[in-house]
C-alpha cells in the first residue's frame, strides 16, 4: 500500500503520516516512511531521538550521492548532461534510518521549484528514487508531502494507491484541498480521500463535512483536536509514545484500519 499525505502547512500531515507509519509497523507491516516535506520533520513524529534525527542529511543535500548517481555535482547542472536512470535501489538501505517499531525513514529534502521541466540533478534523482520506491515491494510506504505531487509527475502519481488530504476546519485549509484536487486530477492520482483533523466541535465537523461534500471528496476520518498531541509536541516525544490511548491516536488507528480493509491488507 502506497499512501501520500498532503495538505496545507500546519494541518497535521506530519503527525498523521508519522502516526500511521508507527501503527502499521506495530501491526507487523514493513513500513517505509518518506519525508518529502522540506519543513521538517517526520523523524520526531516517528519517535526517532533528536540526537539521531539531527544527524540525518536529506538526500537532496547529499552532494556525494547526487554526484555518484547522476555524474553531475549539484548546482553545476544546467546545460550539462547527466544520467537519467541512475540505479537507486541501494539508497534506502544506505541512507534509511530505522526508528521505533522498525519503521524505516528516508528524508528526501527539498525538491527545487521550477516545475517538472527542472532538470537539476537532485530533482532527477529524487524523481527516479520515488518511482523506484513506488514499484518496490515494500509492504507500506507513507509519504509526508508538502503540497501535492506536482514535481513528481504522472508516472509517480498513478503508482500511489491513495492520497490523503488533511483538512482542518478553516477556509484556507479547504482552499488548499481544492488546489490539491485540481492537481491530483491533472496528474492522475488514482484516489484522493480527505482526513479531517483538529476538530473541536460538532460545528467544525459539519463545516468540514459540508465542504468536502461540495468538493466531492470522501471524508474518511475525523481526528479531534487533542491536547495530548500538543503536549507531545512540546515534550518532543512521538504522539503515539506520549499517549497511545488519546482520542486523536485512536482516530488515526481507525483510519489505519479503514485503509487496511479498503486495500485488502
Ligand atoms: N489533532 C491534533 N490535535 C492537537 N494538535 C495537533 C493535532 N494535529 C496536529 N497538531 C499539532 O499541530 C502542529 C502542526 O502539525 P504537523 O503535523 O507538524 O503539521 P504539518 O506537517 O501539516 O505542517 C503540531 O504542533 C502538532 O502537534
Ligand atoms: Mg510537516
Amino acid at each position: 500500500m502506497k499512501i501520500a499525505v498532503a495538505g496545507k502547512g500546519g494541518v497535521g500531515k506530519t503527525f498523521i503520516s508519522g502516526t500511521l507509519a508507527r501503527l502499521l509497523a506495530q501491526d507487523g507491516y514493513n513500513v517505509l516512511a518518506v519525508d518529502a516535506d522540506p519543513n521538517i520533520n517526520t523523524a520526531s513524529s516517528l519517535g526517532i531521538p533528536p540526537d539521531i534525527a539531527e544527524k540525518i542529511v536529506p538526500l537532496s543535500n547529499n552532494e556525494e550521492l547526487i554526484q555518484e548517481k547522476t555524474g553531475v555535482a549539484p548546482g553545476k547542472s544546467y546545460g550539462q548532461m547527466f544520467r537519467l536512470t541512475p540505479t537507486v535501489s541501494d539508497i534506502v538501505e544506505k541512507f534509511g534510518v530505522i526508528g521505533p517499531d522498525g519503521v524505516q525513514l528516508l528524508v528526501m529534502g527539498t525538491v527545487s521549484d521550477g516545475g517538472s521541466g527542472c532538470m537539476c540533478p537532485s530533482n532527477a534523482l529524487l524523481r527516479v528514487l520515488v518511482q523506484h520506491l513506488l514499484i518496490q515491494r515494500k509492504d507500506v510506504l507513507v509519504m509526508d508531502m508538502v503540497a501535492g505531487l506536482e514535481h513528481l509527475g504522472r508516472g509517480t502519481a498513478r503508482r500511489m494507491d491513495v492520497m490523503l488530504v488533511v483538512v482542518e476546519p478553516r477556509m484556507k485549509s479547504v482552499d488548499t484541498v481544492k488546489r490539491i484536487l485540481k492537481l491530483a486530477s491533472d496528474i492522475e492520482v488514482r484516489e484522493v480521500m480527505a482526513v479531517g483533523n483538529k476538530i473541536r466541535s460538532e460545528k467544525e465537523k459539519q463545516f468540514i463535512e459540508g465542504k468536502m461534500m461540495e468538493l466531492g471528496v470522501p471524508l474518511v476520518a475525523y481526528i479531534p483536536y487533542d491536547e495530548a498531541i500538543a503536549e507531545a509536541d512540546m515534550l518532543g516525544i512521538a504522539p503515539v509514545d506520549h499517549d497511545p490511548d488519546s482520542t486523536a491516536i485512536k482516530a488515526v488507528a481507525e483510519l489505519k484500519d479503514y485503509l487496511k480493509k479498503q486495500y485488502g491488507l
Side-chain angles (χ1 to χ4, degrees):
M1 178 165 57
K2 325 278 183 176
I3 309 165
V5 181
K8 190 182 171 301
V11 289
K13 296 179 292 295
T14 299
F15 157 57
I16 292 167
S17 58
T19 304
L20 261 183
R22 282 288 300 276
L23 294 174
L24 284 160
Q26 287 175 5
D27 283 359
Y29 297 99
N30 185 10
V31 180
L32 175 65
V34 179
D35 189 347
D37 181 345
N39 299 319
I40 52 170
N41 117 26
T42 308
S44 66
S45 82
L46 284 174
I48 292 174
D51 53 323
I52 296 174
E54 277 162 19
K55 291 195 192 110
I56 299 174
V57 178
L59 296 177
S60 64
N61 295 358
N62 189 327
E63 302 199 2
E64 221 171 281
L65 173 74
I66 291 164
Q67 179 126 31
E68 178 205 320
K69 295 291 180 186
T70 66
V72 176
K76 298 228 169 82
S77 55
Y78 288 99
Q80 259 184 320
M81 289 294 287
F82 52 93
R83 282 183 284 146
L84 279 174
T85 51
T87 32
V88 293
S89 47
D90 56 334
I91 290 181
V92 177
E93 279 58 44
K94 264 196 198 151
F95 299 100
V97 177
I98 304 284
D101 298 322
V103 174
Q104 198 164 24
L105 169 67
L106 196 63
V107 179
M108 299 225 305
T110 312
V111 177
S112 0
D113 293 333
S116 50
C118 175
M119 292 309 281
C120 335
S122 58
N123 277 12
L125 178 64
L126 294 184
R127 194 177 308 147
V128 171
L129 175 64
V130 169
Q131 268 159 20
H132 168 81
L133 295 175
L134 290 172
I135 296 165
Q136 189 187 297
R137 285 183 63 87
K138 268 250 176 195
D139 288 357
V140 183
L141 179 142
V142 184
M143 196 185 292
D144 183 357
M145 314 265 329
V146 64
L149 289 161
E150 61 264 59
H151 45 268
L152 300 173
R154 253 168 231 276
T156 307
R158 273 203 224 106
R159 289 197 179 102
M160 221 81 195
D161 292 302
V162 61
M163 178 138 97
L164 298 177
V165 185
V166 183
V167 56
E168 61 180 341
R170 295 291 175 267
M171 208 42 119
K172 276 196 176 149
S173 156
V174 172
D175 289 339
T176 304
V177 176
K178 272 188 212 164
R179 274 202 296 113
I180 292 175
L181 282 176
K182 163 89 177 68
L183 177 78
S185 97
D186 286 350
I187 63 174
E188 299 174 38
V189 174
R190 282 200 271 168
E191 195 139 28
V192 181
M193 297 173 181
V195 170
N197 188 31
K198 301 196 196 183
I199 302 171
R200 292 173 195 256
S201 65
E202 189 56 33
K203 246 188 202 161
E204 291 195 334
K205 183 178 172 218
Q206 285 169 1
F207 171 80
I208 295 181
E209 272 174 344
K211 292 295 172 190
M212 294 306 105
M213 201 179 282
E214 274 172 34
L215 294 175
V217 199
L219 182 57
V220 298
Y222 299 91
I223 303 171
Y225 184 89
D226 184 345
E227 287 299 335
I229 308 307
E231 278 165 25
D233 178 83
M234 290 187 280
L235 294 167
I237 303 173
V240 69
D241 292 326
H242 176 58
D243 185 357
D245 297 320
S246 67
T247 53
I249 299 291
K250 282 190 174 147
V252 178
E254 278 172 31
L255 170 63
K256 173 212 61 159
D257 289 333
Y258 170 82
L259 292 170
K260 278 168 67 172
K261 215 169 104 199
Q262 200 71 10
Y263 294 97
L265 269 187

